[in-house]
Amino acid sequence: MPVNIVKTGKRISQLMQQQGITAYQLSQRLSISVQAIYKWTHGQSLPDIDHMIDLCEILGVALEELIIVD
């Protein structure tokens, strides 16, 4: 089953809002650019596996809750 990039991006954005984390704060914690966060949250790309694992820790969810598949 393929990963739905758009829905996964929306999920990341939703979880960021729930945690009160801005794109800038997340980019600082992950040592990446704000533009990368923008691309994730707008369904233009997916984080690599290392960033996915870090995102799960920061956002307090399991990987299965972060990735949306069709």
Side-chain angles (χ1 to χ4, degrees):
M1 298 179 103
V3 174
N4 185 314
I5 295 173
V6 173
K7 288 182 181 178
T8 298
K10 287 180 181 179
R11 179 72 175 140
I12 293 169
S13 181
Q14 176 188 40
L15 291 166
M16 287 170 59
Q17 287 179 346
Q18 288 175 359
Q19 296 291 326
I21 299 172
T22 67
Y24 177 77
Q25 291 168 328
L26 188 58
S27 72
Q28 293 296 300
R29 291 181 71 178
L30 295 172
S31 299
I32 60 172
S33 69
V34 174
Q35 290 82 3
I37 305 296
Y38 178 89
K39 287 181 180 181
W40 298 348
T41 58
H42 287 81
Q44 296 175 1
S45 68
L46 288 171
D48 62 30
I49 190 64
D50 291 330
H51 287 124
M52 282 278 194
I53 293 168
D54 292 338
L55 271 174
C56 289
E57 282 185 30
I58 293 167
L59 299 174
V61 295
L63 189 58
E64 296 82 13
E65 296 174 75
L66 187 65
I67 298 174
I68 308 296
V69 293
D70 285 332

